[in-house]
């Protein structure tokens, strides 16, 4: 979603702003722009498309000034054209915004009545026009911004820059994250710590409803009630290696390759020194004291939750409901007593997941979260936040965050099994021992990259693809299809294998590749029957299985990928790799924008 940066600096702001916006590219965007105050005057440059277009424009038409704001826009209101590109300017004020102003139509009507016209389709322009209105009514910039903010409904991170005010930025947060960075005699603002990473490590996160009045050497934060607020300044160290491609062609390739390492990190964090038990930090989680869990998330994180349902139910005898956050939050489901609610989110800022957590607050016995960003809103509003320790994930398509989410969820399910008397100490230690061996196995699979590239070359010709799986492989099939469609734009769907005959089999013909994920487990024979039904109708089956599965079924399949045999509970983490690699190589073969697929945003901070 939109990226925001701001600087009151000691050097020319434009190049620093563009670099900071580059670090936010991963969030997804379709146009970009800057505004600065130079010699007391506001000026701006904007360009549609990638940041390189803005950089080229700045070569032709430089933008001087040491105070400035910048924005990458992911269109919500209005097409991604120049008029709608931020910053939006109304006379003496420029504004950048992430989020949605829900009452902009009412505000716009009010301004129209006062004779103020609009020149864009955006909700953000209304914010700039409203601020201009208050400035023209004689309010100083700070007061004008505060009055404007007080009129807004919806979700926003906002940054204001004013004509004649080279030492003032005003930032506001409600629903979309914003961080203030402290330099020496300079100040920065960014949508996240990654944007500010090389500029400063000293970061203050604004809280919901906060407004920050920023000068070059100070910041005053006012909370939603208008009181001065003391917000903690933290040191956020981001390893620069995490935000470059480290020799890989794409961030996604780098992040796929990092999985054995980050999963090992997560295991080290959660296992006792002897590796025989799981320690959940914070106040701990009382699995013996609950009767059920509800797991809520969006997208890939939702598929991690679906996988965890099998684990919690099978390993711990704990009933689990899984819900899509955008459905959960508006369905107002009853939450019975002795229920723990668990929210899974890489970014920790997904608007629907955060709203679902707020709904469950006060209703569920405890609010747990599994997040990658420990300073995120979801982490901060949970009773217990378990980090997945995947490191910064820049590729829009989630890969290492997914397998780290799975790792932490499996550890939770194992711990729950122990707490609820379903697993004895020996059985737990055996499972953990298998899990500790998994990163080495993942490395062996990653070394076979060319096999996946080869299979993907054939998949790239397809217009549609079907993924099938049973049991723990069903959520994996869903994740495989999601990865395929989001980065290769091939229409891919996933079904539980047993559902095939209830409709989707009508789609099968010889042009349809069917990716079947089936380790040789208790359900293998059933999946093979479904596969036969596909092959009998001319469908081309790509079977992902293990050596035993391959031995039992090698007739008539189009292609096979043979993975190492592992403890059945670990198969989702292992089978995630072929799902990711097939999608990645298919996208590369098709020449799509792997790290920033069209229309997608990394952190979905609006509904
Ligand atoms: C797909 C993907 C998305 C996210 C979803 C939730 O590859 O990345 O489906 O999983 O937008 O995002 P988080 O986990 O940040 O809540």
């Amino acid at each position: 979603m939109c990226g925001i940066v701001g600087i009151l600096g000691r050097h020319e702001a434009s190049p620093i702003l563009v670099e900071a916006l580059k670090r936010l590219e991963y969030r997804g965007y379709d146009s970009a722009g800057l505004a600065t105050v130079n010699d007391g005057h506001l000026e701006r440059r904007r360009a549609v498309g990638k940041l390189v277009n803005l950089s080229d424009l700045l070569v032709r038409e430089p933008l001087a000034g040491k105070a400035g704001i910048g924005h990458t826009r992911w269109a919500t209101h209005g097409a991604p054209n120049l008029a709608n590109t931020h910053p939006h300017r109304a006379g003496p004020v420029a504004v950048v915004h992430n989020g949605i102003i829900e009452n902009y139509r009412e505000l716009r009507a009010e301004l129209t009545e006062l004779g103020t016209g609009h020149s864009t389709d955006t909700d953000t322009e209304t914010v700039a026009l409203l601020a201009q209105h208050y400035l023209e009514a004689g309010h100083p910039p700070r007061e004008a911004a505060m009055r404007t903010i007080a009129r807004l409904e919806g979700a926003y991170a906002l940054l204001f820059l004013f004509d004649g005010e080279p030492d003032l930025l005003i930032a506001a947060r409600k629903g979309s994250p914003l961080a203030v960075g402290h330099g020496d005699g300079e100040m920065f603002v960014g949508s996240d710590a990654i944007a500010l990473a090389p500029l400063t490590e000293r970061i203050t996160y604004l809280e919901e409803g906060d407004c920050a009045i920023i000068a070059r050497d100070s910041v005053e934060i006012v909370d939603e009630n208008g009181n001065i607020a003391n917000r903690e300044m933290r040191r956020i160290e981001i390893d620069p290696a995490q935000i470059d491609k480290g020799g890989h062609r794409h961030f996604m390739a780098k992040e796929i390759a990092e999985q054995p390492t980050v999963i090992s990190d997560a295991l080290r964090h959660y296992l006792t020194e002897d590796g025989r038990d799981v320690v959940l930090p914070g106040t701990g989680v009382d699995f013996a004291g609950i009767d059920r869990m509800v797991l809520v998330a969006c997208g890939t994180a939702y598929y991690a939750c679906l996988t965890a349902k099998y684990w919690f139910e099978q390993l711990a005898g704990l009933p689990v409901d899984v819900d899509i956050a955008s459905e959960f939050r508006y369905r107002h489901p009853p939450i019975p007593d002795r229920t723990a609610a668990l929210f899974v989110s890489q970014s920790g800022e997904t608007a629907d997941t955060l709203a679902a957590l707020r709904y469950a607050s006060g209703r569920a016995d405890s609010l747990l979260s599994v997040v990658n960003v420990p300073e995120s809103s979801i982490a901060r509003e949970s009773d217990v936040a378990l980090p997945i320790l995947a490191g910064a994930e820049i590729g829009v398509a989630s890969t290492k965050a997914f397998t780290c989410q799975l790792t932490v969820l499996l550890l939770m399910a194992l711990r729950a099994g122990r707490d609820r008397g379903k697993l004895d100490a020996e059985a737990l230690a055996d499972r953990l021992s298998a899990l500790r061996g998994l990163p080495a196995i993942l490395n062996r699979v990653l070394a076979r990259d060319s096999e996946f590239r080869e299979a993907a070359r054939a998949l790239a010709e397809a217009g549609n693809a079907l993924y099938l799986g049973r049991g723990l492989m069903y959520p994996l099939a869903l994740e495989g299809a999601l990865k395929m469609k989001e980065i290769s734009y091939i229409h891919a769907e996933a079904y539980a294998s047993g559902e095939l005959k209830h409709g989707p089999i009508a789609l099968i013909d010889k042009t349809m590749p069917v990716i079947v994920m089936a380790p040789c487990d208790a359900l293998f024979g059933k999946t093979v029957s479904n596969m036969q039904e596909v092959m009998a109708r001319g469908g081309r089956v790509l079977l992902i299985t293990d050596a035993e599965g391959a031995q039992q079924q090698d007739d008539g399949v189009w292609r096979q990928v043979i993975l190492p045999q592992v403890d059945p509970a670990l198969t989702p983490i292992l089978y995630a790799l072929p799902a990711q690699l097939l999608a990645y190589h298919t996208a590369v073969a098709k020449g799509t924008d792997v790290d920033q697929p069209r229309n997608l945003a990394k952190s979905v901070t609006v509904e």
Side-chain angles (χ1 to χ4, degrees), residues 298-301 344-348 350 396-398 405 482-483 486 604:
C298 300
T300 287
V344 180
S345 174
Q346 186 282 128
S347 61
T350 299
V396 162
S398 189
Q405 285 162 353
L482 177 65
K483 288 286 93 89
E486 68 182 335
V604 183

Side-chain angles (χ1 to χ4, degrees), residues 53 96 159 265 289 327:
N53 299 346
V96 290
L159 205 48
D265 292 345
E327 291 298 312

